[in-house]
């Protein structure tokens, strides 16, 4: 892979993302939803010490990041639209004509999507932590220096970025916005929760990308999920890598 051709392709992908309206509203929605719902959760918890703070297993960090389960919807949309939009408009043909090496094209798109997602996800994670912990009140909140808090905060940014890349990979395989979102949204927001609570199935469901990946956003381990924080992150990385590899395979084998 030639570095200069990759750099040129990356510049083109940056230009596409900046000029797409969907980039701005999906990333803004991810930020607003994650921070806003985190503050809302913190406000609900505030003052209810007997239910939350007195429990030694209470995780104020993980609870503050509960809003990311809604905010990640916007990240999923961003990842899908960053890829499927070119197929919907037919501009994928011009893109591949300009960058005929499909491996270079896909690498540049993946890097651009990941960089844009992480650039928003990282400050969003810290803003969510600050807002949620402030809303909870000093009696039961956590500080960024508490055990696991910094790791979970950065972990939230990594989690959202990987989920976005996974969605981009799925969109490249399916080549359609409606179909991609029609699979990913129910999977992440309905199916995984249902399967995760079904006796006899939860031991397998914990390896779904969102259930496993979310463990990195907790300061206190969830004893219902056996993979742990770093194991869960590894599971999500594996799912993301498989989706990106699948996207590249379809891109190479099928005409635009």
């Amino acid at each position: 892979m030639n570095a200069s051709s990759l750099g040129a392709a990356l510049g083109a992908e940056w230009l596409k993302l900046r000029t797409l309206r969907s980039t701005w509203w999906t990333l803004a929605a991810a930020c607003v939803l994650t921070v806003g719902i985190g503050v809302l959760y913190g406000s609900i918890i505030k003052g209810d010490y007997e239910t939350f703070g007195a429990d030694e297993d209470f995780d104020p960090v993980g609870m503050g990041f509960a809003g990311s389960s809604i905010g990640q919807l916007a990240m999923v949309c961003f990842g899908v639209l960053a890829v499927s939009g070119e197929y919907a408009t037919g501009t994928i043909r011009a893109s591949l004509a300009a960058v005929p090496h499909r491996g270079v094209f896909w690498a540049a798109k993946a890097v651009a999507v990941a960089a844009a997602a992480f650039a928003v996800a990282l400050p969003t994670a810290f803003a969510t932590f600050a807002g949620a912990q402030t809303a909870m009140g000093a009696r039961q909140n956590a500080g960024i220096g508490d055990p696991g808090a910094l790791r979970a905060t950065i972990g939230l940014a990594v989690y959202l970025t990987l989920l976005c890349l996974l969605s981009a990979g799925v969109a490249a395989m399916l080549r359609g916005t409606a179909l991609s979102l029609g699979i990913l949204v129910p999977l992440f927001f309905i199916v995984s929760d249902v399967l995760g609570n079904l006796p006899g199935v939860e031991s397998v469901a914990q390896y779904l990308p969102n259930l496993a990946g979310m463990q990195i956003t907790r300061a206190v381990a969830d004893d219902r999920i056996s993979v742990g924080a770093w194991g869960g992150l590894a599971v999500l990385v594996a799912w993301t890598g498989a989706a990106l590899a699948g996207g590249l395979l379809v891109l190479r084998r099928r005409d635009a």
Side-chain angles (χ1 to χ4, degrees):
M1 185 182 295
N2 186 284
S4 61
S5 61
L6 178 60
L10 184 56
E13 292 302 323
W14 270 117
L15 180 60
K16 292 177 196 174
L17 287 179
R18 290 199 306 271
T19 54
L20 284 172
R21 284 180 296 178
S22 61
T23 297
W24 300 103
W25 67 257
T26 51
L27 292 179
C31 178
V32 171
L33 288 170
T34 304
V35 176
I37 297 177
V39 172
L40 177 62
Y41 270 62
S43 301
I44 294 172
I45 292 168
K46 184 179 182 180
D48 198 352
Y49 184 78
E50 296 305 320
T51 302
F52 298 102
D55 184 352
E56 63 180 11
D57 293 327
F58 173 61
D59 181 9
V61 178
M63 187 63 73
F65 290 151
S68 64
S69 61
I70 304 298
Q72 71 186 15
L73 172 61
M75 280 296 190
V76 168
C77 290
F78 170 61
V80 168
L81 291 172
V83 175
S84 64
E86 289 201 72
Y87 288 99
T89 60
T91 54
I92 185 66
R93 298 182 184 88
S95 295
L96 292 177
V99 187
H101 193 301
R102 299 194 177 194
V104 172
F105 170 78
W106 185 233
K109 184 171 288 292
V111 170
V113 168
F118 189 75
V120 171
L122 187 61
T124 295
F126 278 95
T128 303
F129 179 87
Q133 301 311 312
T134 299
M136 283 183 201
R139 194 179 185 194
Q140 52 200 0
N141 65 4
I144 196 66
D146 289 355
L150 181 60
R151 184 263 299 158
T153 303
I154 297 174
L156 175 61
V158 173
Y159 167 77
L160 291 173
T161 301
L162 289 173
L163 205 65
C164 179
L165 276 176
L166 189 158
S167 302
V170 170
M173 287 187 281
L174 300 179
R175 298 186 168 202
T177 302
L179 183 57
S180 299
L181 292 178
I183 291 174
L184 292 171
V185 172
L187 174 63
F188 293 150
F189 300 101
I190 301 174
V191 176
S192 60
D193 287 337
V194 172
L195 295 181
N197 290 286
L198 282 179
V201 180
E202 73 276 7
S203 59
V204 176
Q206 67 179 326
Y207 293 100
L208 289 172
N210 58 320
L211 292 184
M214 277 295 289
Q215 302 316 302
I216 196 66
T217 70
R218 297 180 57 88
V220 178
D222 185 345
D223 56 13
R224 298 172 299 175
I225 307 292
S226 63
V227 293
W230 297 111
L233 181 61
V235 170
L236 178 55
V237 167
W239 277 97
T240 303
L244 291 173
L248 176 59
L249 182 63
V250 171
L251 184 66
R252 282 177 166 171
R253 291 191 172 185
R254 293 180 60 183
D255 292 334

